[in-house]
Amino acid sequence: MKVGIVIFPGTNCDMDTYHALKIVGLKPVYLWHKEHDLKDVDLVILPGGFSYGDYLRAGAIARFSPIMREVVDFANKGGYVLGICNGFQILLEAGLLPGAMLPNITNSFICKEVYLEVLNNNNFFLRRYSKGEIIKMPIAHKEGRYYISQKELEELKENNQIVLKYFGENPNGSIESIAGIINKRGNVMGMMPHPERAVELFLGSQSGINLFLSFLDEE
Amino acid sequence: MGVFGLREEEIKHAIKVLGREPNDLEWSVISVIWSEHCSYKHSRKYLKEFLTKAEWVEQGPGENAGIINLGDGYRIVFKIESHNHPSAVEPFQGAATGVGGIVRDILALGARPIALLDSLRFGPLNKGRNKYLFEGVVGGISFYGNCIGVPVVGGEIVFEECYSSNPLVNVMCIGLLTPDQKSYRGRAEGEGNLLLLVGAKTGRDGLQGASFASEKLDEEVHKKRPSVQVGDPFLGKLLIEACLEAASLDGIIGIQDLGAAGLVSALSESARRGKSGVELILDNVPQREENMSAEEILLSESQERMLLVVRPEKIDKVIEVFRKWDLEASIIGKVISKERFVVYFKGEKIVDLPTELLVEGSLIFDPPYTPYEVPSISSDLYNSIKEEHIANFVEVLVEDLLIKESIYRKYDYSVQTNTILPPGLGDSAVLRIKGTNKGIAITTDGNGRYCYLDPRKGAIYSVAEACRNILCVGGRPLGITDGLNFGDPSDPKVFYQFREVVKGINLASRVLEIPVVSGNVSFYNGQGENTIYPTPIIGMVGILEDINYLITPGFKKPGNLVYLIGDLSWLSLGGSRFIKDIFNKVVGDVPWVDLIWERKLKLFWEEIRKEKGILLSAHDVSEGGLLATFLEMAFWGNRGVRVDLPDDKIEYLVGEGSGIVVEVEREGEREFLERLGKYALKAIKIGEVTDNEFVISPYIKTTLSELFKRR
Amino acid sequence: MKKWTVILEIFLKDGIFDPQGKTIKDALHNLGFKEVEEVRMGKVLKIDIYGDNKNEVFEKIKKMSEIFLANPVTEDFNIRVEEE
Amino acid sequence: MKKWTVILEIFLKDGIFDPQGKTIKDALHNLGFKEVEEVRMGKVLKIDIYGDNKNEVFEKIKKMSEIFLANPVTEDFNIRVEEE
Ligand SMILES: Nc1ncnc2c1ncn2[C@@H]1O[C@H](COP(=O)(O)OP(=O)(O)O)[C@@H](O)[C@H]1O
Ligand SMILES: [Mg+2]
């Protein structure tokens, strides 16, 4: 599978994501925010960081980048898109996923390892995990409190769109402990935790590796 | 503005050397660059004494940062810098711009910043503005560091009365040069090469920042403070990426950051280093505000700017890189062969001064100094120590762990995916170097209480402690960056402290063979009654030639043996955390430290760390004595310990001093002792790792779960 | 065209917890200002903008707010146009 | 005692660089709103507070701002008291 990593001004997890993909044997390409070319990739990753400094609101400015027009088209045609942390925030701002992010309930940045429960593995991104599996991954964000209206929340639940929940402590106050969601069609996923920081044991956890392994072509 | 902050003799000196009376603007230029902050006029003579060379040192002091070689083409760049004065006035922005500033020093060598450490000192949180300052500073570091994606992997926090209203904010940055990267110097040379100013536009921010940092912070200064500098981490991040991309091109001769005294110091210093001169066209500096005067443009300390010296034929390619990142890039002048700093504005030549006069021409001051006496621990105090004090002290130490955690949780310490030993979990942070088996260990250490009680011994102790901290995680110490924080140098006691501290650092660094490759000096911190303790911060970097040498401090397995390398009799209450926290006194003789012993320990350790499985965990004895050491090893390993102290001397429990506690397996005990013997090092068996039991007899009998209920 | 100054205030919707406001309220109570009942914190933008008349400027800012400056899921905004 | 609502706006002092405002302005230009000349971003607090009269409430908020809510070195503030 050909994977593209978008670089917005202020993105800072692009190289980490590249490194994680390299570990599973993929050779991703970088996509530049000013361009309109997705370089024929099969999957677009919007990595973490502080696009435009997170000024105004996380993701609010990046979503107007030229490349985002192509990403939206690509997603609408069924292309795979994964947003991690700031990438998730951008997907929300761009309307590719429902809801919004609010500042953490602690009123501060939080960097720590958290536990997640895989609620739905019946999709492209999480198919290598089992349903109910508990995994460990770091979070590092200031605006990670997921919010959505009650009505839309019901919809998310009905369609099994909540794919990852914080297990145990809900670090940032997200509604229903939501850590990751997917769109109805199952091709656009966003998550606040950083799987790319959990691919080597000596970094604390390897539970992110299965996500990246799922991008390998099936034999 | 003309002359400001200069003494009569300095004014006369300038006129004499120049052979004429400088004009108003030239006086301003001379005044800022001869400020303490830029000219090091009280410290230069002493800093020259340092050991600065070793086989592995590629760049020592004198550049924007030092470089040490890790082998195979990998090099580590590092420096520490203080931002005390700005943080006292506006803690959030002061600390944020402190981070931005040190990051650009690293960037100037062409290296990618890969880690930050913050060494912080505040007054007690329950008094005055201290809580506000503390929260602002931590917020500012978190704001800037997280946004630029450079992990804050370690640091220190100390609360002490003397830092009330004059906090210390020292930030150390570490950069990496990979085999394919060139390293740069802050050098302007080669007649006709172009001066390219990149990054942010120039505004009126931080005018006179350098001289402000060279003054006492009294009420007056608070009122007439210079306009505050505001950090823009977003732009800072773009500047990092753009500079690194440009640095990979051909045709760049030198790179220099713009810090204190803005264009004046960046240009004159790089010209001086390159044995050349510069001709600056001030009109070409992109300005953020209207009607800026020549002086304002020249002295502005606007953040997020860098200077590149570029060959004319490559200039377009370089400018293109900055355009790609939406940054300013303007040719503001050129290198000339005459060693002069020449400035044009609106067609007129308005400054023409020799670079030698600016950069090395200031008078050197060597003020008088006097030693002073400090009280010892009275027998009344000693005899009044009761059992309940120990229980209170346990509370204090547990609280300490929680405060530290509340800080580093606000820093992104895992970005860049290299942090193997994150903050709060060890004596040093450990990072792996991608593409190799290597790792680096990094720490900052300083002990103002010791340095106040005995400046020379305190400084020696700080270097030895930093060294032990690198050893404890399995590293071999390679270099020091020292952040020297002091009061007013014209106070003879303060100058005595300064001289002694420098001597102490020098001695320790020579005996331990760890050279000083960069550093920073900050004077005028507090005054009179409110002068800060002399507070040298030792930043140290070591190498793990193989990341498998990593040793972590958490206890590993119940049944394993616990040894103290060192001697219980070395532990002392003088200057200890215990006496300070329980009796609110800073008194006594600071702990004994023997550099020859420390050197042997270092040699022993550099060998044994390579044997997998002998040392299972290690942690040095520092603040809080063995009690703190055991608490932390238990806390981090989630295991208990049963210790039998040979005597109920309180020093054994909470006294401080040299020493490392290690965990060894029963099967490894013989080997461990033999190797110790080889280096004639002493060690005593003092306990055993347990499951949940936490006992230090005859003082403490409890359980892990009981101790860390609040975790 | 005239120049106008617009003040745009953006607050979290009622009912959404505002941790910043809460932190500030607690701090004010600690400082002794117990008469403070609630604090909500928002963003405010001061926008200098050219336009022919007040109404046009208002509509323009409204549009910017709807598509960009405020997030419709979580935020409410209000606009005040002042002549320079 | 009556209940009042106070709107407190806090902006960086003129002349102090406001990176957020600048970045937002650039974004608005990219979106085609070229008529925007400048943007400054600040904080706004909505404070519900008990007090006897408008003047007393005003003075109290002024005091809070001076000692805590705003930083006198870098920020200016203005206060609007509204009866509930
Ligand atoms: N205490 C010290 N020990 C060693 N070197 C020092 C010390 N203080 C300053 N230096 C060196 O002096 C030079 C000037 O320091 P500084 O003015 O802090 O640099 P910059 O302007 O790049 O921030 C640097 O090379 C620095 O490493
Ligand atoms: Mg420098």
Side-chain angles (χ1 to χ4, degrees):
Chain A
M1 198 168 212
K2 191 167 171 196
V3 182
I5 301 170
V6 179
I7 301 180
F8 298 101
T11 293
N12 65 29
C13 300
D14 43 336
M15 287 188 275
D16 301 357
T17 308
Y18 190 103
H19 181 75
L21 288 162
K22 211 173 82 184
I23 284 180
V24 300
L26 286 165
K27 215 176 164 306
V29 293
Y30 286 121
L31 305 172
W32 183 238
H33 70 106
K34 284 184 191 168
E35 278 162 19
H36 283 280
D37 180 7
L38 291 188
K39 299 188 182 166
D40 286 325
V41 298
D42 309 294
L43 166 78
V44 175
I45 300 183
L46 309 186
F50 285 73
S51 56
Y52 292 93
D54 275 3
Y55 294 161
L56 190 64
R57 280 187 319 279
I61 302 180
R63 76 111 156 165
F64 290 108
S65 301
I67 194 100
M68 280 308 290
R69 230 181 291 156
E70 311 314 319
V71 172
V72 171
D73 271 1
F74 177 72
N76 288 339
K77 287 189 199 127
Y80 291 119
V81 179
L82 171 66
I84 301 169
C85 198
N86 196 232
F88 186 12
Q89 293 161 336
I90 296 169
L91 290 177
L92 294 171
E93 286 283 338
L96 282 176
L97 290 171
M101 282 298 170
L102 291 165
N104 295 342
I105 199 155
T106 57
N107 197 20
S108 66
F109 192 94
I110 307 174
C111 184
K112 75 194 295 191
E113 288 190 308
V114 297
Y115 289 93
L116 305 169
E117 180 179 352
V118 179
L119 290 195
N120 174 1
N121 67 337
N122 191 14
N123 59 64
F124 167 74
F125 300 97
L126 300 174
R127 63 185 197 277
R128 284 175 178 264
Y129 296 87
S130 39
K131 189 167 170 243
E133 189 178 340
I134 307 297
I135 56 181
K136 187 167 88 169
M137 258 180 220
I139 54 166
H141 58 244
K142 193 159 195 250
E143 291 179 39
R145 177 166 46 126
Y146 182 72
Y147 176 82
I148 191 166
S149 71
Q150 205 54 42
K151 185 169 142 277
E152 282 179 297
L153 179 64
E154 293 309 321
E155 248 179 83
L156 279 186
K157 285 190 197 165
E158 250 162 56
N159 302 320
N160 262 322
Q161 285 175 258
I162 304 172
V163 289
L164 294 167
K165 264 190 176 190
Y166 298 107
F167 180 79
E169 182 201 14
N170 176 358
N172 51 26
S174 288
I175 198 162
E176 304 243 340
S177 290
I178 289 174
I181 58 170
I182 200 162
N183 65 348
K184 256 187 232 160
R185 191 166 170 182
N187 62 321
V188 180
M189 183 172 107
M191 62 191 292
M192 281 318 284
H194 285 276
E196 81 282 7
R197 299 188 192 182
V199 290
E200 289 163 284
L201 257 192
F202 58 58
L203 296 176
S205 159
Q206 239 176 340
S207 24
I209 198 97
N210 276 334
L211 177 81
F212 298 105
L213 282 171
S214 66
F215 306 157
L216 292 181
D217 295 319
E218 312 280 325
E219 312 279 284
Chain B
M1 232 162 2
V3 181
F4 50 88
L6 292 185
R7 304 183 195 185
E8 190 73 45
E9 50 198 304
E10 292 178 287
I11 295 175
K12 285 197 183 128
H13 175 67
I15 296 173
K16 190 172 133 230
V17 174
L18 199 59
R20 66 172 164 93
E21 174 91 21
N23 67 34
D24 249 21
L25 184 57
E26 289 174 332
W27 271 129
S28 304
V29 167
I30 295 170
S31 300
V32 281
I33 203 150
W34 283 6
S35 66
E36 183 64 44
H37 189 82
C38 294
S39 71
Y40 286 79
K41 55 193 171 193
H42 284 92
S43 59
R44 223 189 305 162
K45 170 175 166 206
Y46 294 91
L47 301 180
K48 285 212 178 102
E49 294 171 17
F50 284 148
L51 168 74
T52 58
K53 293 202 171 80
E55 198 191 315
W56 55 86
V57 174
E58 187 175 315
Q59 174 67 59
E63 276 289 338
N64 291 303
I67 309 181
I68 56 176
N69 211 320
L70 299 182
D72 304 325
Y74 289 86
R75 290 143 295 158
I76 288 291
V77 178
F78 60 99
K79 184 175 190 285
I80 196 166
E81 184 130 287
S82 63
H83 233 213
N84 306 337
H85 287 69
S87 303
V89 174
E90 216 299 314
F92 188 93
Q93 290 299 342
T97 52
V99 172
I102 186 64
V103 161
R104 287 189 294 279
D105 272 324
I106 301 307
L107 193 56
L109 284 110
R112 174 175 288 281
I114 58 165
L116 291 160
L117 288 89
D118 60 333
S119 175
L120 309 178
R121 301 290 184 279
F122 296 94
L125 288 184
N126 55 6
K127 290 209 184 129
R129 298 172 74 226
N130 296 332
K131 187 154 188 276
Y132 162 76
L133 293 172
F134 168 71
E135 286 176 353
V137 165
V138 171
I141 294 171
S142 151
F143 168 67
Y144 206 104
N146 297 350
C147 187
I148 59 174
V150 181
V152 182
V153 298
E156 295 174 277
I157 176 85
V158 174
F159 300 99
E160 201 87 59
E161 208 63 64
C162 68
Y163 305 109
S164 277
S165 305
N166 197 126
L168 301 186
V169 178
N170 285 222
V171 182
M172 174 176 172
C173 185
I174 295 93
L176 175 69
L177 286 160
T178 52
D180 55 320
Q181 281 177 292
K182 282 178 278 189
S183 71
Y184 288 90
R185 300 294 184 274
R187 217 158 276 186
E189 59 193 1
E191 189 170 5
N193 285 330
L194 300 174
L195 307 173
L196 189 69
L197 180 66
V198 302
K201 285 191 168 135
T202 298
R204 291 192 173 91
D205 349 52
L207 284 178
Q208 285 195 61
S211 43
F212 165 63
S214 312
E215 271 178 72
K216 292 166 230 178
L217 264 187
D218 53 21
E219 275 313 306
E220 267 313 287
V221 178
H222 270 276
K223 267 180 242 144
K224 65 169 193 222
R225 59 184 67 83
S227 50
V228 171
Q229 311 158 26
V230 175
D232 183 351
F234 167 51
L235 220 140
K237 166 70 174 163
L238 301 186
L239 191 59
I240 293 174
E241 298 306 329
C243 285
L244 289 175
E245 196 173 324
S248 71
L249 303 175
D250 281 338
I252 296 181
I253 305 293
I255 307 181
Q256 170 64 43
D257 64 295
L258 276 83
L263 282 167
V264 169
S265 81
L267 285 167
S268 58
E269 281 173 20
S270 28
R272 180 75 192 138
R273 290 196 198 105
K275 305 243 171 311
S276 306
V278 288
E279 204 174 85
L280 169 64
I281 314 289
L282 221 39
D283 315 72
N284 291 359
V285 174
Q287 294 151 45
R288 208 181 58 229
E289 295 172 66
E290 281 165 28
N291 304 321
M292 287 182 70
S293 70
E295 184 178 70
E296 287 170 333
I297 304 170
L298 262 181
L299 303 193
S300 162
E301 294 186 2
S302 285
Q303 300 290 298
E304 285 87 32
R305 299 179 300 164
M306 298 283 284
L307 176 78
L308 272 55
V309 183
V310 189
R311 283 190 210 289
E313 64 274 19
K314 301 288 182 183
I315 194 82
D316 292 341
K317 277 256 170 312
V318 174
I319 291 179
E320 205 175 287
V321 170
F322 290 91
R323 294 276 177 271
K324 171 184 159 191
W325 289 95
D326 296 322
L327 295 170
E328 300 286 336
S330 313
I331 301 169
I332 58 165
K334 59 174 195 243
V335 179
I336 55 176
S337 57
K338 261 197 298 179
E339 295 188 42
R340 299 189 77 85
F341 177 65
V342 182
V343 181
Y344 288 91
F345 189 49
K346 301 196 168 144
E348 255 178 85
K349 189 197 276 187
I350 51 173
V351 174
D352 187 351
L353 296 166
T355 53
E356 186 182 1
L357 174 78
L358 295 176
V359 180
E360 281 141 32
S362 72
L363 291 177
I364 297 277
F365 295 102
D366 196 1
Y369 56 93
T370 45
Y372 53 89
E373 298 276 315
V374 293
S376 47
I377 299 179
S378 67
S379 50
D380 280 357
L381 175 72
Y382 191 84
N383 293 329
S384 68
I385 297 173
K386 292 198 206 63
E387 204 133 301
E388 71 211 50
H389 292 144
I390 295 170
N392 294 347
F393 193 52
V394 170
E395 286 289 309
V396 169
L397 293 175
V398 172
E399 182 63 28
D400 230 40
L401 289 172
L402 296 174
I403 289 187
K404 286 177 191 161
E405 172 159 0
S406 79
I407 298 172
Y408 61 72
R409 289 270 170 253
K410 296 192 176 77
Y411 300 151
D412 187 348
Y413 52 77
S414 57
V415 65
Q416 295 197 18
T417 59
N418 297 319
T419 315
I420 301 182
L421 196 56
L425 290 188
D427 287 306
S428 301
V430 178
L431 307 184
R432 57 96 176 256
I433 307 286
K434 283 194 186 103
T436 73
N437 285 332
K438 299 179 210 289
I440 54 169
I442 321 159
T443 182
T444 59
D445 289 284
N447 192 319
R449 282 195 306 276
Y450 291 3
C451 290
Y452 158 70
L453 293 170
D454 185 336
R456 185 178 314 192
K457 235 161 123 199
I460 291 176
Y461 193 92
S462 302
V463 175
E465 183 178 349
C467 174
R468 273 181 256 126
N469 283 337
I470 299 289
L471 296 177
C472 277
V473 299
R476 180 165 88 94
L478 292 182
I480 292 172
T481 182
D482 60 325
L484 306 180
N485 305 274
F486 291 85
D488 180 349
S490 60
D491 174 345
K493 279 185 194 152
V494 169
F495 207 67
Y496 165 76
Q497 295 170 338
F498 175 74
R499 288 173 50 113
E500 290 295 302
V501 160
V502 170
K503 280 188 186 144
I505 293 175
N506 191 19
L507 197 60
S509 112
R510 284 175 189 274
V511 175
L512 297 172
E513 282 184 273
I514 316 172
V516 175
V517 300
S518 60
N520 180 257
V521 182
S522 166
F523 281 123
Y524 305 102
N525 292 291
Q527 55 174 330
E529 286 293 280
N530 299 319
T531 294
I532 61 156
Y533 290 155
T535 314
I537 308 294
I538 305 300
M540 197 179 283
V541 175
I543 181 172
L544 286 75
E545 297 83 344
D546 182 332
I547 44 173
N548 288 311
Y549 298 167
L550 177 70
I551 304 167
T552 56
F555 283 131
K556 302 289 174 319
K557 202 174 101 211
N560 282 348
L561 304 173
V562 177
Y563 269 88
L564 169 68
I565 305 180
D567 196 312
L568 285 169
S569 69
W570 299 348
L571 302 175
S572 134
L573 291 181
S576 68
R577 233 353 247 284
F578 179 73
I579 296 295
K580 158 74 198 175
D581 282 347
I582 303 300
F583 299 97
N584 199 23
K585 288 213 154 58
V586 176
V587 290
D589 289 334
V590 311
W592 185 83
V593 49
D594 174 1
L595 279 172
I596 298 300
W597 187 83
E598 303 282 349
R599 183 185 160 88
K600 284 193 292 186
L601 178 73
K602 178 171 175 264
L603 294 174
F604 157 76
W605 204 283
E606 284 174 3
E607 185 182 296
I608 198 166
R609 73 200 164 107
K610 298 183 177 170
E611 302 301 325
K612 195 76 204 147
I614 298 187
L615 300 181
L616 292 173
S617 59
H619 187 24
D620 70 323
V621 185
S622 61
E623 285 212 329
L626 278 174
L627 174 58
T629 308
F630 291 133
L631 276 174
E632 288 171 353
M633 293 179 88
F635 185 78
W636 292 330
N638 208 11
R639 296 270 182 272
V641 66
R642 190 169 49 240
V643 177
D644 221 341
L645 295 176
D647 193 343
D648 68 349
K649 277 187 79 170
I650 185 75
E651 285 87 339
Y652 293 176
L653 186 70
V654 294
E656 301 172 6
S658 291
I660 298 184
V661 171
V662 296
E663 172 184 355
V664 292
E665 260 172 330
R666 283 171 198 276
E667 301 82 76
E669 190 182 14
R670 245 192 59 196
E671 171 90 29
F672 168 68
L673 293 174
E674 268 170 26
R675 283 170 184 260
L676 275 174
K678 193 174 137 198
Y679 287 93
L681 287 167
K682 263 198 289 192
I684 49 165
K685 195 189 302 189
I686 46 174
E688 194 179 308
V689 179
T690 66
D691 228 352
N692 189 30
E693 199 187 346
F694 188 94
V695 177
I696 307 178
S697 65
Y699 293 105
I700 290 171
K701 191 166 173 22
T702 176
T703 60
L704 253 200
S705 9
E706 187 58 32
L707 275 172
F708 299 121
K709 269 188 307 220
R710 286 153 64 210
R711 175 154 57 161
Chain C
M1 271 204 289
K2 274 199 225 141
K3 195 155 116 190
W4 309 79
T5 296
V6 183
I7 301 289
L8 171 69
E9 288 175 352
I10 306 170
F11 280 100
L12 287 179
K13 289 201 155 103
D14 286 344
I16 294 186
F17 178 64
D18 167 21
Q20 298 200 61
K22 167 94 175 26
T23 309
I24 293 173
K25 186 189 84 182
D26 291 348
L28 287 173
H29 280 198
N30 283 338
L31 286 172
F33 297 103
K34 306 269 185 213
E35 55 280 42
V36 170
E37 197 199 39
E38 217 202 319
V39 179
R40 309 249 325 148
M41 173 146 162
K43 291 174 268 204
V44 54
L45 299 180
K46 192 190 278 172
I47 304 174
D48 293 344
I49 183 171
Y50 289 96
D52 287 330
N53 60 61
K54 202 164 172 162
N55 202 39
E56 181 208 317
V57 168
F58 180 89
E59 289 301 327
K60 220 163 239 167
I61 300 283
K62 183 154 168 258
K63 181 142 174 245
M64 292 177 203
S65 306
E66 282 165 354
I67 65 168
F68 169 52
L69 296 172
N71 183 325
V73 181
T74 50
E75 294 172 326
D76 287 329
F77 60 88
N78 71 68
I79 300 169
R80 222 162 62 229
V81 182
E82 291 159 11
E83 205 160 335
E84 271 245 315
Chain D
M1 272 205 287
K2 275 198 226 140
K3 194 156 116 189
W4 309 78
T5 296
V6 184
I7 300 288
L8 171 68
E9 287 175 354
I10 305 171
F11 281 100
L12 284 175
K13 288 203 158 110
D14 287 344
I16 293 189
F17 180 43
D18 171 16
Q20 289 215 63
K22 157 131 193 337
T23 309
I24 294 169
K25 184 191 81 181
D26 291 347
L28 285 170
H29 281 198
N30 283 337
L31 285 174
F33 297 104
K34 307 269 186 212
E35 55 280 40
V36 170
E37 196 199 39
E38 216 199 318
V39 179
R40 311 254 318 154
M41 174 145 164
K43 293 176 278 200
V44 54
L45 299 179
K46 192 189 277 170
I47 305 174
D48 293 344
I49 182 171
Y50 288 96
D52 287 330
N53 60 62
K54 200 162 171 163
N55 202 37
E56 181 208 318
V57 168
F58 180 90
E59 289 300 326
K60 220 162 238 167
I61 299 283
K62 184 156 166 253
K63 182 141 175 244
M64 292 177 201
S65 306
E66 282 165 356
I67 66 170
F68 173 62
L69 297 172
N71 181 341
V73 183
T74 50
E75 293 171 326
D76 286 330
F77 57 89
N78 72 66
I79 300 169
R80 224 160 61 228
V81 183
E82 290 159 13
E83 206 159 334
E84 272 247 314

